[in-house]
Short mmCIF file of all heavy atoms in Angstrom, two decimals:
data_model
loop_
_atom_site.label_atom_id
_atom_site.label_comp_id
_atom_site.label_asym_id
_atom_site.label_seq_id
_atom_site.Cartn_x
_atom_site.Cartn_y
_atom_site.Cartn_z
N HIS Y 54 -98.62 5.19 -58.54
CA HIS Y 54 -98.58 4.68 -57.16
C HIS Y 54 -98.60 5.70 -56.04
O HIS Y 54 -98.84 5.35 -54.92
CB HIS Y 54 -97.37 3.77 -56.99
CG HIS Y 54 -97.32 2.60 -57.96
ND1 HIS Y 54 -98.37 1.62 -57.93
CD2 HIS Y 54 -96.50 2.31 -58.98
CE1 HIS Y 54 -98.09 0.74 -58.91
NE2 HIS Y 54 -97.06 1.14 -59.57
N LEU Y 55 -98.25 6.93 -56.38
CA LEU Y 55 -97.98 7.87 -55.32
C LEU Y 55 -99.14 8.10 -54.35
O LEU Y 55 -99.01 8.12 -53.15
CB LEU Y 55 -97.48 9.22 -55.85
CG LEU Y 55 -97.10 10.29 -54.84
CD1 LEU Y 55 -96.02 9.77 -53.88
CD2 LEU Y 55 -96.63 11.58 -55.45
N HIS Y 56 -100.36 8.27 -54.95
CA HIS Y 56 -101.52 8.62 -54.10
C HIS Y 56 -101.81 7.48 -53.09
O HIS Y 56 -102.08 7.74 -51.94
CB HIS Y 56 -102.73 9.00 -54.91
CG HIS Y 56 -103.19 7.93 -55.83
ND1 HIS Y 56 -102.48 7.58 -56.93
CD2 HIS Y 56 -104.28 7.16 -55.83
CE1 HIS Y 56 -103.08 6.62 -57.56
NE2 HIS Y 56 -104.17 6.34 -56.92
N THR Y 57 -101.72 6.25 -53.57
CA THR Y 57 -101.99 5.06 -52.73
C THR Y 57 -100.91 5.04 -51.61
O THR Y 57 -101.23 4.71 -50.42
CB THR Y 57 -101.82 3.72 -53.49
OG1 THR Y 57 -102.38 3.96 -54.80
CG2 THR Y 57 -102.54 2.62 -52.81
N LEU Y 58 -99.67 5.36 -51.96
CA LEU Y 58 -98.60 5.26 -50.96
C LEU Y 58 -98.73 6.37 -49.90
O LEU Y 58 -98.52 6.15 -48.70
CB LEU Y 58 -97.25 5.46 -51.75
CG LEU Y 58 -96.09 4.71 -51.19
CD1 LEU Y 58 -96.29 3.28 -51.32
CD2 LEU Y 58 -94.83 5.11 -51.91
N ILE Y 59 -99.18 7.57 -50.32
CA ILE Y 59 -99.37 8.62 -49.31
C ILE Y 59 -100.52 8.23 -48.37
O ILE Y 59 -100.36 8.41 -47.15
CB ILE Y 59 -99.73 9.97 -50.06
CG1 ILE Y 59 -98.57 10.48 -50.86
CG2 ILE Y 59 -100.29 11.02 -49.08
CD1 ILE Y 59 -98.84 11.67 -51.71
N GLU Y 60 -101.59 7.65 -48.93
CA GLU Y 60 -102.68 7.27 -48.02
C GLU Y 60 -102.20 6.16 -47.04
O GLU Y 60 -102.51 6.16 -45.89
CB GLU Y 60 -103.87 6.80 -48.83
CG GLU Y 60 -104.32 7.95 -49.74
CD GLU Y 60 -105.78 8.17 -49.84
OE1 GLU Y 60 -106.54 7.22 -49.88
OE2 GLU Y 60 -106.21 9.39 -49.89
N ALA Y 61 -101.40 5.24 -47.58
CA ALA Y 61 -100.87 4.14 -46.70
C ALA Y 61 -99.96 4.70 -45.64
O ALA Y 61 -99.96 4.24 -44.52
CB ALA Y 61 -100.16 3.10 -47.57
N ALA Y 62 -99.14 5.69 -45.94
CA ALA Y 62 -98.21 6.33 -45.04
C ALA Y 62 -99.06 6.99 -43.90
O ALA Y 62 -98.70 6.86 -42.71
CB ALA Y 62 -97.29 7.28 -45.70
N LEU Y 63 -100.14 7.68 -44.25
CA LEU Y 63 -100.96 8.38 -43.26
C LEU Y 63 -101.58 7.27 -42.38
O LEU Y 63 -101.58 7.40 -41.15
CB LEU Y 63 -102.08 9.13 -43.97
CG LEU Y 63 -101.62 10.50 -44.48
CD1 LEU Y 63 -102.72 11.08 -45.43
CD2 LEU Y 63 -101.42 11.47 -43.33
N SER Y 64 -102.11 6.19 -43.02
CA SER Y 64 -102.80 5.15 -42.23
C SER Y 64 -101.84 4.48 -41.34
O SER Y 64 -102.13 4.18 -40.17
CB SER Y 64 -103.53 4.29 -43.24
OG SER Y 64 -103.48 2.95 -42.88
N ASP Y 65 -100.58 4.18 -41.75
CA ASP Y 65 -99.58 3.52 -40.95
C ASP Y 65 -99.24 4.42 -39.72
O ASP Y 65 -98.93 3.90 -38.66
CB ASP Y 65 -98.26 3.32 -41.70
CG ASP Y 65 -98.32 2.05 -42.55
OD1 ASP Y 65 -99.42 1.47 -42.65
OD2 ASP Y 65 -97.26 1.64 -43.05
N ALA Y 66 -99.29 5.73 -39.95
CA ALA Y 66 -98.94 6.65 -38.88
C ALA Y 66 -100.19 6.88 -37.96
O ALA Y 66 -100.08 7.57 -36.91
CB ALA Y 66 -98.50 7.97 -39.41
N GLY Y 67 -101.34 6.39 -38.36
CA GLY Y 67 -102.60 6.58 -37.59
C GLY Y 67 -103.07 7.98 -37.72
O GLY Y 67 -103.65 8.57 -36.73
N LEU Y 68 -102.78 8.63 -38.78
CA LEU Y 68 -103.16 10.07 -39.00
C LEU Y 68 -104.06 10.22 -40.25
O LEU Y 68 -104.08 9.34 -41.15
CB LEU Y 68 -101.91 10.90 -39.19
CG LEU Y 68 -100.88 10.95 -38.07
CD1 LEU Y 68 -99.64 11.73 -38.47
CD2 LEU Y 68 -101.48 11.51 -36.78
N GLY Y 69 -104.69 11.37 -40.34
CA GLY Y 69 -105.48 11.72 -41.52
C GLY Y 69 -104.82 13.02 -42.09
O GLY Y 69 -103.94 13.60 -41.45
N TYR Y 70 -105.31 13.46 -43.25
CA TYR Y 70 -104.74 14.73 -43.88
C TYR Y 70 -104.84 15.96 -42.92
O TYR Y 70 -103.98 16.78 -42.92
CB TYR Y 70 -105.50 15.02 -45.18
CG TYR Y 70 -105.10 14.10 -46.36
CD1 TYR Y 70 -105.98 13.10 -46.79
CD2 TYR Y 70 -103.91 14.28 -46.99
CE1 TYR Y 70 -105.57 12.26 -47.86
CE2 TYR Y 70 -103.52 13.47 -48.02
CZ TYR Y 70 -104.38 12.49 -48.49
OH TYR Y 70 -103.99 11.67 -49.49
N ASP Y 71 -105.94 15.90 -42.11
CA ASP Y 71 -106.12 17.09 -41.22
C ASP Y 71 -105.05 17.18 -40.13
O ASP Y 71 -104.91 18.18 -39.46
CB ASP Y 71 -107.48 17.02 -40.50
CG ASP Y 71 -108.61 17.30 -41.54
OD1 ASP Y 71 -108.32 18.00 -42.51
OD2 ASP Y 71 -109.76 16.84 -41.33
N ASP Y 72 -104.34 16.08 -39.87
CA ASP Y 72 -103.33 16.12 -38.80
C ASP Y 72 -101.95 16.56 -39.35
O ASP Y 72 -100.99 16.67 -38.56
CB ASP Y 72 -103.03 14.67 -38.28
CG ASP Y 72 -104.38 14.10 -37.66
OD1 ASP Y 72 -104.98 14.82 -36.87
OD2 ASP Y 72 -104.77 13.00 -38.08
N LEU Y 73 -101.88 16.86 -40.62
CA LEU Y 73 -100.59 17.33 -41.21
C LEU Y 73 -100.37 18.81 -40.93
O LEU Y 73 -101.32 19.57 -41.04
CB LEU Y 73 -100.53 17.08 -42.70
CG LEU Y 73 -100.55 15.55 -43.13
CD1 LEU Y 73 -100.61 15.45 -44.63
CD2 LEU Y 73 -99.35 14.81 -42.52
N ASP Y 74 -99.08 19.16 -40.60
CA ASP Y 74 -98.72 20.57 -40.43
C ASP Y 74 -97.89 21.13 -41.55
O ASP Y 74 -97.51 22.29 -41.47
CB ASP Y 74 -97.96 20.67 -39.09
CG ASP Y 74 -98.80 20.16 -37.96
OD1 ASP Y 74 -99.67 20.89 -37.58
OD2 ASP Y 74 -98.51 19.05 -37.46
N GLY Y 75 -97.52 20.25 -42.55
CA GLY Y 75 -96.81 20.75 -43.68
C GLY Y 75 -96.53 19.57 -44.61
O GLY Y 75 -96.58 18.41 -44.22
N VAL Y 76 -96.21 19.94 -45.88
CA VAL Y 76 -95.92 18.90 -46.89
C VAL Y 76 -94.53 19.26 -47.53
O VAL Y 76 -94.41 20.39 -47.98
CB VAL Y 76 -96.96 18.78 -48.02
CG1 VAL Y 76 -96.59 17.66 -48.91
CG2 VAL Y 76 -98.35 18.62 -47.43
N ALA Y 77 -93.62 18.31 -47.42
CA ALA Y 77 -92.25 18.50 -48.03
C ALA Y 77 -92.14 17.55 -49.21
O ALA Y 77 -92.36 16.38 -49.05
CB ALA Y 77 -91.23 18.23 -47.02
N ALA Y 78 -91.82 18.06 -50.37
CA ALA Y 78 -91.64 17.25 -51.54
C ALA Y 78 -90.30 17.48 -52.22
O ALA Y 78 -89.89 18.70 -52.27
CB ALA Y 78 -92.78 17.44 -52.55
N THR Y 79 -89.65 16.48 -52.69
CA THR Y 79 -88.41 16.65 -53.44
C THR Y 79 -88.80 17.42 -54.70
O THR Y 79 -89.63 16.99 -55.52
CB THR Y 79 -87.83 15.30 -53.89
OG1 THR Y 79 -87.43 14.61 -52.67
CG2 THR Y 79 -86.60 15.50 -54.76
N CYS Y 80 -88.12 18.55 -54.94
CA CYS Y 80 -88.38 19.40 -56.13
C CYS Y 80 -87.15 19.43 -57.04
O CYS Y 80 -87.06 20.28 -57.90
CB CYS Y 80 -88.83 20.78 -55.71
SG CYS Y 80 -90.43 20.80 -54.99
N GLY Y 81 -86.18 18.58 -56.83
CA GLY Y 81 -85.00 18.50 -57.59
C GLY Y 81 -83.83 18.10 -56.73
O GLY Y 81 -83.98 18.10 -55.50
N PRO Y 82 -82.65 17.83 -57.15
CA PRO Y 82 -82.39 17.52 -58.60
C PRO Y 82 -82.84 16.12 -58.85
O PRO Y 82 -82.97 15.30 -57.95
CB PRO Y 82 -80.86 17.64 -58.70
CG PRO Y 82 -80.35 17.38 -57.36
CD PRO Y 82 -81.47 17.78 -56.36
N GLY Y 83 -83.03 15.77 -60.12
CA GLY Y 83 -83.49 14.41 -60.46
C GLY Y 83 -84.17 14.39 -61.77
O GLY Y 83 -84.11 15.37 -62.63
N LEU Y 84 -84.77 13.25 -62.09
CA LEU Y 84 -85.45 13.07 -63.39
C LEU Y 84 -86.72 13.90 -63.34
O LEU Y 84 -87.59 13.68 -62.49
CB LEU Y 84 -85.73 11.58 -63.60
CG LEU Y 84 -84.54 10.67 -63.54
CD1 LEU Y 84 -85.01 9.18 -63.62
CD2 LEU Y 84 -83.58 10.98 -64.64
N ILE Y 85 -86.77 14.82 -64.23
CA ILE Y 85 -87.74 15.92 -64.05
C ILE Y 85 -89.25 15.44 -64.12
O ILE Y 85 -90.09 15.99 -63.37
CB ILE Y 85 -87.54 17.09 -65.07
CG1 ILE Y 85 -88.14 18.35 -64.64
CG2 ILE Y 85 -87.93 16.74 -66.49
CD1 ILE Y 85 -87.47 18.96 -63.37
N GLY Y 86 -89.51 14.41 -64.95
CA GLY Y 86 -90.90 13.92 -65.02
C GLY Y 86 -91.33 13.39 -63.68
O GLY Y 86 -92.48 13.72 -63.19
N GLY Y 87 -90.56 12.62 -63.02
CA GLY Y 87 -90.83 12.12 -61.69
C GLY Y 87 -90.88 13.18 -60.66
O GLY Y 87 -91.81 13.25 -59.78
N VAL Y 88 -90.01 14.12 -60.66
CA VAL Y 88 -90.02 15.23 -59.71
C VAL Y 88 -91.28 16.01 -59.79
O VAL Y 88 -91.87 16.32 -58.74
CB VAL Y 88 -88.81 16.14 -59.94
CG1 VAL Y 88 -88.90 17.44 -59.12
CG2 VAL Y 88 -87.44 15.47 -59.65
N LEU Y 89 -91.78 16.22 -61.01
CA LEU Y 89 -93.01 16.96 -61.23
C LEU Y 89 -94.18 16.28 -60.55
O LEU Y 89 -95.03 16.96 -59.97
CB LEU Y 89 -93.29 17.20 -62.69
CG LEU Y 89 -92.40 18.21 -63.42
CD1 LEU Y 89 -92.60 18.24 -64.90
CD2 LEU Y 89 -92.74 19.64 -62.87
N VAL Y 90 -94.19 14.95 -60.68
CA VAL Y 90 -95.32 14.21 -60.08
C VAL Y 90 -95.40 14.41 -58.58
O VAL Y 90 -96.42 14.76 -58.00
CB VAL Y 90 -95.18 12.70 -60.37
CG1 VAL Y 90 -96.21 11.84 -59.62
CG2 VAL Y 90 -95.29 12.41 -61.88
N GLY Y 91 -94.21 14.24 -57.90
CA GLY Y 91 -94.22 14.40 -56.45
C GLY Y 91 -94.46 15.82 -56.03
O GLY Y 91 -95.18 16.12 -55.05
N MET Y 92 -93.85 16.81 -56.74
CA MET Y 92 -94.00 18.17 -56.36
C MET Y 92 -95.43 18.62 -56.46
O MET Y 92 -95.99 19.29 -55.60
CB MET Y 92 -93.11 19.03 -57.26
CG MET Y 92 -93.18 20.49 -56.86
SD MET Y 92 -92.21 21.54 -58.04
CE MET Y 92 -93.30 21.67 -59.39
N MET Y 93 -96.10 18.22 -57.60
CA MET Y 93 -97.52 18.73 -57.77
C MET Y 93 -98.42 18.03 -56.77
O MET Y 93 -99.39 18.64 -56.30
CB MET Y 93 -97.96 18.36 -59.17
CG MET Y 93 -97.25 19.18 -60.27
SD MET Y 93 -97.08 21.00 -59.94
CE MET Y 93 -98.79 21.49 -60.04
N ALA Y 94 -98.18 16.73 -56.44
CA ALA Y 94 -99.03 16.06 -55.38
C ALA Y 94 -98.82 16.83 -54.05
O ALA Y 94 -99.83 17.09 -53.34
CB ALA Y 94 -98.57 14.61 -55.25
N GLY Y 95 -97.58 17.18 -53.73
CA GLY Y 95 -97.35 17.88 -52.47
C GLY Y 95 -98.01 19.26 -52.46
O GLY Y 95 -98.67 19.65 -51.45
N LYS Y 96 -97.93 19.97 -53.56
CA LYS Y 96 -98.57 21.32 -53.67
C LYS Y 96 -100.04 21.16 -53.49
O LYS Y 96 -100.71 21.97 -52.78
CB LYS Y 96 -98.26 22.01 -54.98
CG LYS Y 96 -96.81 22.52 -55.07
CD LYS Y 96 -96.63 23.25 -56.39
CE LYS Y 96 -95.20 23.83 -56.51
NZ LYS Y 96 -94.95 24.40 -57.82
N ALA Y 97 -100.61 20.11 -54.12
CA ALA Y 97 -102.11 19.95 -54.12
C ALA Y 97 -102.62 19.71 -52.66
O ALA Y 97 -103.57 20.31 -52.23
CB ALA Y 97 -102.45 18.82 -55.00
N ILE Y 98 -101.87 18.88 -51.94
CA ILE Y 98 -102.26 18.56 -50.52
C ILE Y 98 -102.15 19.83 -49.70
O ILE Y 98 -103.01 20.17 -48.91
CB ILE Y 98 -101.41 17.40 -49.97
CG1 ILE Y 98 -101.78 16.12 -50.80
CG2 ILE Y 98 -101.75 17.17 -48.51
CD1 ILE Y 98 -100.80 14.96 -50.48
N ALA Y 99 -100.98 20.53 -49.85
CA ALA Y 99 -100.77 21.73 -49.08
C ALA Y 99 -101.84 22.81 -49.38
O ALA Y 99 -102.34 23.49 -48.46
CB ALA Y 99 -99.38 22.25 -49.34
N ALA Y 100 -102.23 22.91 -50.64
CA ALA Y 100 -103.22 23.88 -51.01
C ALA Y 100 -104.63 23.48 -50.45
O ALA Y 100 -105.27 24.28 -49.91
CB ALA Y 100 -103.30 24.00 -52.53
N ALA Y 101 -104.92 22.20 -50.55
CA ALA Y 101 -106.28 21.77 -50.09
C ALA Y 101 -106.40 21.91 -48.58
O ALA Y 101 -107.45 22.21 -48.07
CB ALA Y 101 -106.49 20.28 -50.54
N LYS Y 102 -105.28 21.72 -47.88
CA LYS Y 102 -105.33 21.73 -46.44
C LYS Y 102 -104.88 23.03 -45.84
O LYS Y 102 -104.75 23.21 -44.61
CB LYS Y 102 -104.50 20.56 -45.87
CG LYS Y 102 -105.15 19.19 -46.11
CD LYS Y 102 -106.44 19.06 -45.29
CE LYS Y 102 -107.45 18.12 -45.94
NZ LYS Y 102 -108.78 18.22 -45.39
N ASN Y 103 -104.44 23.90 -46.68
CA ASN Y 103 -103.97 25.22 -46.29
C ASN Y 103 -102.79 25.15 -45.26
O ASN Y 103 -102.84 25.75 -44.19
CB ASN Y 103 -105.19 26.04 -45.72
CG ASN Y 103 -104.79 27.53 -45.57
OD1 ASN Y 103 -103.90 28.04 -46.31
ND2 ASN Y 103 -105.41 28.26 -44.66
#
Side-chain angles (χ1 to χ4, degrees):
H54 301 297
L55 183 58
H56 59 291
T57 322
L58 215 64
I59 291 173
E60 302 224 320
L63 280 168
S64 141
D65 278 11
L68 301 175
Y70 284 106
D71 288 336
D72 300 309
L73 294 176
D74 300 286
V76 185
T79 297
C80 291
L84 303 174
I85 201 68
V88 170
L89 284 171
V90 172
M92 182 183 79
M93 293 315 290
K96 285 181 180 176
I98 295 168
K102 291 291 152 194
N103 196 24

